[in-house]
Amino acid sequence: MAEETLAALRSLMASHSPPLDALVVPSEDYHQSEYVSARDKRREFVSGFSGSAGLALITSNEALLWTDGRYFLQAEQQLSSQWKLMRMGEDPTVDIWMADNLSSEAAIGVDPWCISVDTANKWEQAFAKKQQKLIQTTTNLVDEVWTSRPPPETNPVIVHPLEFAGRSVEDKLKDLREKLNQEKARAIIVTTLDEVAWLYNVRGSDVSYNPVVHAYAIVTSDSAFFYVDKKKMSSEASTYMEKNGIEVRDYSAVNSDAALLATDQLASTYSKTDSISTGPVGDNPRQEDSTNNLVWIDPATCCFALYTKLNLDKVLQQSSPLALAKALKNPIEMEGLKNAHIRDGAAVVQYLVWLDKQMQEIYGAPGYFVDGEVNKKDQLRSTKLTELSVSDKLEEFRASKEHFRGLSFPTISSVGPNGAIIHYSPEPETCAELDPNSMYLFDSGAQYLDGTTDITRTVHFGKPSSHEKESYTAVLKGHIGLGNARFPNGTTGHVLDILARLPLWKDGLDYRHGTGHGIGSYLNVHEGPHQISFRPAARNVPLQPSMTVTDEPGYYEDGNFGIRLENVLIVKEADTRFNFGDRGYLSFEHITWAPYQRKLIDVSLLVPEEIDWLNNYHSKCREILGSYLNSSEKEWLKKATEPIGT
């Protein structure tokens, strides 16, 4: 099938005007999303690689797939012999590879809706030295050969209640318009799905695991537009939009409206400026400053197609103000996130109790608490546990909790060698059976109306080796070290990333992924603009109070095991003894509650401060989760969180 697909694409490339020497197939959709709907998984369709990050390049005689360190093992397993894996961070980047390996004046095709302004500009600079050209295809060539492409989603737009959103659309639009005025902009095009959902307080189900709707927004000093398939709009949603002065237009109309915006001819059929002030400008709060003539786009997320519709001399290319506003949780969102994580922690504990019992009964494992040999059973088992069947059970426990709306990403349920595949996703036909003699890693999360969760724990139900214990303890030390950090205002996640790695580096170990990402409020599980990572982008945005961020160091040994520990943290002001430079200091508050497995910890490697933190955290787990558990579950948790001695 892959061979036929490549042949069909190469035929279209040859007949294209001009003929294409190469075709780029990005992972992203028209909104530059990390996670995309089934019909937008074009890169997966052409390559067979299902990871969330990557880019495919097809030439007349080669097919290459770029992806990052999270997916090296997975890509090796999924790519056919016709594809060559290009490892990000080790091999040349795609633009450098094209500039060096394609002929002079080569024509390189891409769907301009699936590539950001930043990426397109970067590539065009790389191509200039050999007069190579980036060609915007008028149709997506992959769509032309993808005969079984899934149909468009027609899921309803859901109004997100103020009791969970915490701030009204009116307030959010007012703040946004003040930002526009400050930057001398008369309008902004919002292309990122979670930003549109957050701004208008709506949710949807167009992308699996992400409660968003395929939509754009344009906001001017006196009008607001929502571009969506109108079949998705219920009478309630339509009334809600009208009440908030938001005009609903067809999804595809954003293309022509961007051109109208460029010439300042975009007009709303009604205006709500009487109820939605643009903020003070001169004597008249609704008067637009005559110098405000820019259209704001975020070049990292706005697609190249919309950018080319604008007057390029009047474009403000700057990070979206909504990204930071969304990341700074309001008090209602903060409270909701904490409550969601408590219910989620209870579900994880219930899962561990169930799994511990099953491993003992089915496999003769000594269990979660006992560091001993497996009591091998020779008879054929009437039942067995697989990576997929146990992850389904975890979902059952979550589904029983208040406000549950689904998972926040496909559960990573991985035993033994599969744990070393960082973003492993078990499949029904190929997933492994649980093994009491192997490490088991599960990274999972849920969407609740009041918050999004993400947690990882690694456990062993048999007798872990001393190497496994030492590795687990090094990861735990890094996890505690980052979580306990205090740091001055203005500090970025790029600076803090080292804290989680130091205990691993001490033994010459490391991991190939970032250490932390923001998390949404019933939105995407990965949320910027901040992050904790070695990657340069982590330098861009300092951590600020009321941001959420994960703390998830790991260690992965190919062909053997994987270890990761993950909690969600909230950034808060720190009460320090001194305040050097009057900068103010920050710290973290853990809001994830589930035990770390004591038998995997080599206590001799912990310092007293780490032991105190661990015992205090476990005490809080008992206190916070107790009311959600039955008597046997409470007893299990009590045993799982017994104090660790020196």
Side-chain angles (χ1 to χ4, degrees):
M1 180 61 187
E3 210 170 329
E4 294 171 9
T5 300
L6 287 173
L9 282 172
R10 286 172 174 141
S11 176
L12 287 176
M13 289 162 58
S15 62
H16 191 274
S17 181
L20 300 177
D21 298 283
L23 177 69
V24 180
V25 185
S27 297
E28 291 77 12
D29 60 9
Y30 289 8
H31 304 269
Q32 307 306 298
S33 306
E34 177 185 13
Y35 296 107
V36 300
S37 67
R39 73 184 266 103
D40 290 321
K41 293 182 177 180
R42 299 178 177 93
R43 188 226 61 226
E44 180 178 339
F45 168 72
V46 300
S47 69
F49 167 64
S50 62
S52 65
L55 178 144
L57 177 69
I58 300 163
T59 71
S60 60
N61 58 1
E62 287 189 275
L64 304 100
L65 186 285
W66 275 260
T67 192
D68 63 46
R70 296 171 296 169
Y71 293 112
F72 290 168
L73 279 179
Q74 182 178 335
E76 286 173 359
Q77 293 176 3
Q78 292 183 329
L79 293 176
S80 72
S81 58
Q82 282 136 3
W83 286 85
K84 179 181 180 182
L85 173 61
M86 304 295 286
R87 293 170 170 81
M88 291 180 179
E90 299 177 14
D91 294 318
T93 58
V94 64
D95 54 323
I96 299 300
W97 189 93
M98 288 190 286
D100 289 346
N101 290 275
L102 298 178
S103 62
S104 295
E105 301 184 0
I108 299 142
V110 69
D111 182 345
W113 289 92
C114 296
I115 185 174
S116 71
V117 176
D118 271 352
T119 300
N121 288 337
K122 179 187 172 192
W123 288 0
E124 288 187 326
Q125 288 175 10
F127 297 163
K129 63 181 180 182
K130 287 172 67 174
Q131 291 79 50
Q132 295 165 332
K133 299 179 185 67
L134 185 65
I135 304 297
Q136 301 181 48
T137 61
T138 53
T139 61
N140 192 297
L141 301 192
V142 175
D143 295 350
E144 294 188 36
V145 303
W146 192 358
T147 55
S148 59
R149 187 182 178 210
E153 299 76 15
T154 53
N155 304 310
V157 174
I158 306 296
V159 176
H160 191 48
L162 192 59
E163 65 178 290
F164 299 118
R167 295 198 71 216
S168 68
V169 178
E170 181 176 347
D171 286 345
K172 291 178 180 180
L173 284 172
K174 181 175 182 290
D175 287 352
L176 178 56
R177 287 177 171 130
E178 287 174 355
K179 288 283 187 185
L180 292 177
N181 190 50
Q182 289 170 13
E183 299 295 334
K184 304 298 183 185
R186 58 182 170 82
I188 184 169
I189 302 177
V190 185
T191 59
T192 309
L193 298 182
D194 61 336
E195 289 185 10
V196 175
W198 179 86
L199 176 64
Y200 289 157
N201 284 345
V202 295
R203 299 294 188 268
S205 54
D206 285 350
V207 180
S208 296
Y209 310 104
N210 299 271
V212 294
V213 58
H214 283 135
Y216 296 95
I218 293 178
V219 177
T220 73
S221 56
D222 62 0
S223 58
F225 302 89
F226 182 52
Y227 298 89
V228 68
D229 181 345
K230 289 186 176 180
K231 292 195 292 290
K232 300 176 182 180
M233 296 294 293
S234 65
S235 57
E236 178 198 4
S238 297
T239 302
Y240 166 83
M241 289 293 176
E242 184 175 354
K243 177 186 171 187
N244 284 286
I246 303 164
E247 182 171 338
V248 179
R249 294 196 173 179
D250 284 324
Y251 180 77
S252 60
V254 71
N255 193 25
S256 54
D257 278 9
L260 290 173
L261 188 63
T263 54
D264 203 9
Q265 297 181 69
L266 179 61
S268 176
T269 55
Y270 59 90
S271 174
K272 293 290 288 184
T273 50
D274 289 338
S275 62
I276 304 174
S277 168
T278 61
V281 180
D283 296 326
N284 185 340
R286 296 190 303 275
Q287 174 188 331
E288 184 181 343
D289 190 320
S290 60
T291 62
N292 290 8
N293 60 0
L294 301 175
V295 174
W296 190 337
I297 63 156
D298 185 335
T301 57
C302 180
C303 59
F304 198 53
L306 287 177
Y307 169 72
T308 57
K309 300 290 181 183
L310 302 174
N311 179 348
L312 304 189
D313 293 333
K314 301 293 185 184
V315 174
L316 173 65
Q317 295 192 47
Q318 193 166 284
S319 296
S320 168
L322 299 178
L324 182 58
K326 173 166 54 64
L328 298 172
K329 306 300 185 241
N330 64 55
I332 298 293
E333 290 175 319
M334 197 88 75
E335 188 66 21
L337 276 164
K338 290 180 180 181
N339 291 335
H341 279 81
I342 291 170
R343 297 193 304 275
D344 200 68
V348 170
V349 168
Q350 289 170 326
Y351 171 63
L352 285 170
V353 174
W354 172 84
L355 187 56
D356 186 17
K357 183 180 179 183
Q358 295 296 306
M359 292 299 290
Q360 292 180 58
E361 291 181 354
I362 299 174
Y363 295 95
Y368 187 89
F369 303 109
V370 179
D371 186 353
E373 300 294 339
V374 174
N375 177 20
K376 299 187 187 300
K377 295 185 177 180
D378 296 328
Q379 71 270 25
L380 285 173
R381 300 184 185 95
S382 58
T383 58
K384 67 177 184 177
L385 302 177
T386 69
E387 293 165 328
L388 201 56
S389 68
V390 296
S391 69
D392 288 345
K393 190 67 179 180
L394 175 54
E395 184 174 357
E396 278 183 38
F397 285 116
R398 284 193 162 108
S400 69
K401 302 295 180 276
E402 185 181 20
H403 301 319
F404 177 80
R405 288 295 180 273
L407 300 181
S408 55
F409 57 97
T411 297
I412 299 168
S413 173
S414 51
V415 66
N418 290 339
I421 304 172
I422 295 169
H423 272 207
Y424 174 78
S425 185
E427 299 292 339
E429 304 81 16
T430 57
C431 68
E433 184 177 358
L434 261 62
D435 178 1
N437 293 302
S438 297
M439 300 279 258
Y440 171 61
L441 182 158
F442 64 102
D443 181 349
S444 63
Q447 296 287 3
Y448 302 93
L449 283 174
D450 52 351
T452 301
T453 68
D454 187 0
I455 176 175
T456 309
R457 291 293 184 266
T458 305
V459 295
H460 199 300
F461 294 98
K463 186 175 180 62
S465 69
S466 58
H467 174 56
E468 288 171 331
K469 287 182 178 181
E470 289 167 2
S471 301
Y472 180 95
T473 307
V475 172
L476 177 62
K477 286 171 71 72
H479 177 75
I480 295 172
L482 175 59
N484 282 349
R486 293 191 177 193
F487 47 94
N489 271 302
T491 301
T492 68
H494 192 268
V495 172
L496 297 178
D497 181 75
I498 190 176
L499 297 177
R501 297 180 193 270
L502 280 173
L504 288 157
W505 286 356
K506 187 177 179 182
D507 290 325
L509 306 178
D510 205 350
Y511 52 96
R512 290 191 181 101
H513 57 76
T515 304
H517 57 82
I519 194 165
S521 179
Y522 186 37
L523 268 177
N524 295 357
V525 72
H526 289 167
E527 181 177 87
H530 59 292
Q531 57 180 302
I532 299 176
S533 177
F534 59 90
R535 296 186 177 92
R539 298 190 188 113
N540 296 343
V541 180
L543 298 180
Q544 299 178 39
S546 79
M547 282 180 169
T548 59
V549 68
T550 60
D551 172 3
E552 50 178 312
Y555 171 62
Y556 312 90
E557 205 160 277
D558 292 357
N560 196 359
F561 63 83
I563 299 166
R564 185 162 62 253
L565 298 171
E566 176 185 20
N567 283 1
V568 173
L569 315 175
I570 287 176
V571 184
K572 64 176 184 176
E573 292 181 357
D575 182 18
T576 53
R577 186 179 170 197
F578 301 107
N579 184 19
F580 182 82
D582 292 325
R583 294 174 68 180
Y585 281 71
L586 303 174
S587 62
F588 294 118
E589 174 186 353
H590 287 254
I591 62 171
T592 300
W593 304 107
Y596 305 95
Q597 192 176 23
R598 292 165 66 248
K599 82 173 185 182
L600 271 173
I601 301 171
D602 185 339
V603 180
S604 69
L605 299 176
L606 299 182
V607 299
E609 181 186 5
E610 292 165 338
I611 292 172
D612 289 346
W613 182 88
L614 197 59
N615 288 337
N616 184 53
Y617 176 84
H618 277 162
S619 174
K620 287 182 178 177
C621 283
R622 293 194 301 272
E623 176 188 335
I624 288 169
L625 301 180
S627 62
Y628 290 86
L629 307 175
N630 63 31
S631 57
S632 62
E633 291 163 349
K634 282 183 189 176
E635 192 59 35
W636 186 96
L637 181 59
K638 181 181 177 183
K639 192 173 180 182
T641 56
E642 286 176 354
I644 291 173
T646 53

